[in-house]
Amino acid sequence: MFRETDEELAPPPSPLSRGRGGASWEAYLVPQDWTHFTAEEHGVWDTLFARQVPYLGTRIVSPFLDGIGKLGLDEAGIPNLDQLNARLEPLTGWRCVPVPGLVPDKAFFAMLAERRFPIGNFIRSADSLDYLEEPDCFHDIFGHVPLLAHEPVARLMQAMGRLGVEAVAVGLGETISRLYWHTVEFGLAREGGEVKILGAGLASSFGEAHFAIEADLPRPRFTLKDAAAAGYRSDAFQPLYFVSDSLEGVAAELEGLDLAGLRRLAA
Ligand SMILES: [Fe+2]
């Protein structure tokens, strides 16, 4: 995710956000205007893709790789979101929506609740392939969208959105964010007896994908209780990575969580 609080980021200027007593999530959308991406920027995507896929090949949960193929993400260049949505929406009802940058928690979760996934409408520069101040379209598309084509994750993400909206409203945003962070962004999961990459933050990061799999660090078994109690870093590699028993298992567990359950986890 990589998000900011409402206090830290004002909504971008938009006619929709004025005089309505607070912006709805639609106020954060911008046109993708795919033709604005330069040849160099498409080249950055291709470089990142070519670097990442060989490493992930045997180290990421298999529905991720299935999603790459189903969605045509192996085609050259930054994906055109209209074309990507034409493939994704018939599969699970999810659509990618362009945003200029970070989206506040409330709007972010509201988008997920509607099966809309925000895509940063820019890409990192060629001279800083490994440095990101905020999520770009490589993180958002390559990291997140393949699994949105997988129904258990499609349901989980919508459920997280619905619960996230409720959680933010009652002051439990940090707790839902921890669960999201330790699964959807930086989680690992067992598959075929091996520990595989699950999270988008790992899938889209060359350095942290290696680190999470290879480094000598704690990889505790994921439980809702332990993940809800564990902080996270948004400015550095994580100090630990939770390992879910399976992708389908953790998806079902998170999908089944309600506000009362979240309150118990936060207590
Ligand atoms: Fe993300």
Side-chain angles (χ1 to χ4, degrees), residues 158-251:
Q158 182 175 31
M160 291 286 271
R162 289 170 171 165
L163 183 56
V165 169
E166 292 181 290
V168 169
V170 298
L172 291 175
E174 173 64 18
T175 306
I176 188 79
S177 292
R178 287 180 176 187
L179 296 177
Y180 187 98
W181 199 265
H182 291 307
T183 55
V184 173
E185 288 292 355
F186 291 98
L188 301 169
R190 291 191 178 279
E191 184 182 88
E194 293 182 41
V195 173
K196 301 282 181 96
I197 289 167
L198 165 62
L202 300 178
S204 62
S205 166
F206 188 70
E208 196 160 2
H210 283 261
F211 184 73
I213 291 290
E214 299 167 22
D216 181 15
L217 44 74
R219 293 184 189 79
R221 177 175 180 261
F222 174 86
T223 67
L224 291 173
K225 189 71 181 171
D226 290 343
Y232 58 83
R233 298 290 301 267
S234 59
D235 59 343
F237 289 176
Q238 304 304 305
L240 81 174
Y241 298 90
F242 283 99
V243 183
S244 301
D245 291 342
S246 70
L247 167 59
E248 277 67 25
V250 70

Side-chain angles (χ1 to χ4, degrees), residues 12-232:
S14 163
L16 292 174
S17 66
R18 293 185 192 130
R20 293 178 41 163
S24 68
W25 63 263
E26 290 97 336
Y28 293 88
L29 306 189
V30 296
Q32 186 191 27
D33 184 21
W34 183 78
T35 57
H36 88 272
F37 289 113
T38 65
E40 182 179 1
E41 289 175 320
H42 286 295
V44 169
W45 174 281
D46 292 341
T47 298
L48 292 167
F49 188 94
R51 188 174 67 160
Q52 206 68 2
V53 168
Y55 185 72
L56 297 180
T58 58
R59 298 178 181 88
I60 195 159
V61 291
S62 54
F64 181 96
L65 297 172
D66 296 342
I68 294 273
K70 284 182 199 171
L71 299 172
L73 289 173
D74 48 358
E75 295 167 10
I78 296 168
N80 179 314
L81 293 187
D82 289 337
Q83 295 174 6
L84 179 56
N85 286 335
R87 290 165 169 159
L88 176 61
E89 191 166 23
L91 295 174
T92 58
W94 275 87
R95 290 181 64 84
C96 297
V97 291
V99 294
L102 288 167
V103 173
D105 286 6
K106 181 179 172 185
F108 177 80
F109 286 125
M111 290 179 189
L112 300 191
E114 300 290 335
R115 295 204 176 201
R116 298 292 181 270
F117 195 81
I119 305 296
N121 199 25
F122 64 97
I123 194 161
R124 69 200 74 180
S125 63
D127 58 5
S128 59
L129 292 180
D130 297 309
Y131 180 71
L132 269 190
E133 281 189 62
E134 55 182 324
D136 68 349
C137 68
F138 186 76
H139 168 81
D140 286 332
I141 299 175
F142 181 84
H144 284 282
V145 177
L147 283 176
L148 291 177
H150 185 53
E151 184 55 30
V153 176
R155 289 200 309 271
L156 147 70
M157 292 289 279
Q158 182 175 31
M160 291 286 271
R162 289 170 171 165
L163 183 56
V165 169
E166 292 181 290
V168 169
V170 298
L172 291 175
E174 173 64 18
T175 306
I176 188 79
S177 292
R178 287 180 176 187
L179 296 177
Y180 187 98
W181 199 265
H182 291 307
T183 55
V184 173
E185 288 292 355
F186 291 98
L188 301 169
R190 291 191 178 279
E191 184 182 88
E194 293 182 41
V195 173
K196 301 282 181 96
I197 289 167
L198 165 62
L202 300 178
S204 62
S205 166
F206 188 70
E208 196 160 2
H210 283 261
F211 184 73
I213 291 290
E214 299 167 22
D216 181 15
L217 44 74
R219 293 184 189 79
R221 177 175 180 261
F222 174 86
T223 67
L224 291 173
K225 189 71 181 171
D226 290 343
Y232 58 83

